[in-house]
Amino acid sequence: SRGFGMALLRARIPYLPLHAADIERLPLDVLILPDLAAVTAEQMAAVRRFVSRGGRVIASGMAGMLDAEGQPRADGGLADLWGVRLDGRRYGTEGDASSWENSSGHTYLRLAEPWPETAVLPFGGTLLGAEALAGSAVYARFIPPFPIYPPEISWMRQADSGLPAIVTRKHAGGGRTVYFAAD
């Protein structure tokens, strides 16, 4: 959640932190669920209603995929709303991610539709293995780690793993979701 908050502050976009139980009490345009894994059935239903009424949700990690007791939901919780099915695997950073010498943290994202002169973005996190469901669009895919030294062997072995990292979805009521399959 700190990452989203810092990004919003740096972009000078005002935001209001709120409890998941208050989703329907305030007039919101966009809801951000930063790895908010454990949610109640009522909170999950409120998020679904928000999207069905045209609301936009940005979610990351395990958002909505655990019950209120922290147990995995058999149906994946809100994964279908995000347009994904998680497979339980993890890719990318292993161990101390703050160390430059940890080569598993040298990962990137390949944009499906590159911006002018930008096809690859730095990532360096842990990706949750996911499959994009029908009706979803994959905005970015994971580029796995590769050796970082010596420089003679430092190059991308696999330029695109095909693993979805950012998935977008348009919903019937006009709502939209963006899901980052990452921590």
Side-chain angles (χ1 to χ4, degrees):
S1 65
R2 284 185 24 201
F4 279 110
M6 288 173 56
L8 292 168
L9 282 174
R10 286 183 181 160
R12 296 188 173 146
I13 298 172
Y15 70 97
L16 175 67
L18 58 95
H19 190 277
D22 296 329
I23 291 170
E24 295 183 299
R25 292 182 46 206
L26 298 169
L28 304 170
D29 294 323
V30 178
L31 181 63
I32 299 174
L33 301 177
D35 204 20
L36 180 66
V39 296
T40 66
E42 294 81 23
Q43 293 164 348
M44 198 165 69
V47 171
R48 288 184 184 282
R49 286 190 297 271
F50 177 76
V51 172
S52 72
R53 290 191 310 264
R56 295 175 295 273
V57 178
I58 300 169
S60 67
M62 295 289 294
M65 296 178 196
L66 304 178
D67 66 19
E69 306 303 318
Q71 298 302 311
R73 287 192 160 94
D75 62 358
L78 291 172
D80 65 314
L81 189 66
W82 314 144
V84 298
R85 180 178 306 113
L86 295 181
D87 63 18
R89 292 181 285 180
R90 294 180 178 269
Y91 303 90
T93 305
E94 300 167 3
D96 182 9
S98 66
S99 172
W100 175 254
E101 294 180 2
N102 182 352
S103 64
S104 71
H106 290 262
T107 56
Y108 299 84
L109 301 179
R110 179 158 312 277
L111 300 174
E113 296 180 26
W115 299 332
E117 300 182 32
T118 305
V120 175
L121 297 174
F123 176 54
T126 302
L127 183 85
L128 302 176
E131 170 192 345
L133 301 176
S136 302
V138 176
Y139 186 77
R141 293 175 310 281
F142 181 71
I143 298 172
F146 50 89
I148 59 172
Y149 56 85
E152 298 82 28
I153 66 163
S154 182
W155 52 274
M156 287 181 192
R157 304 301 195 269
Q158 188 177 4
D160 185 344
S161 68
L163 295 169
I166 302 173
V167 177
T168 63
R169 191 169 211 183
K170 294 179 186 176
H171 298 270
R176 293 176 177 228
T177 58
V178 175
Y179 175 68
F180 293 86
D183 55 354

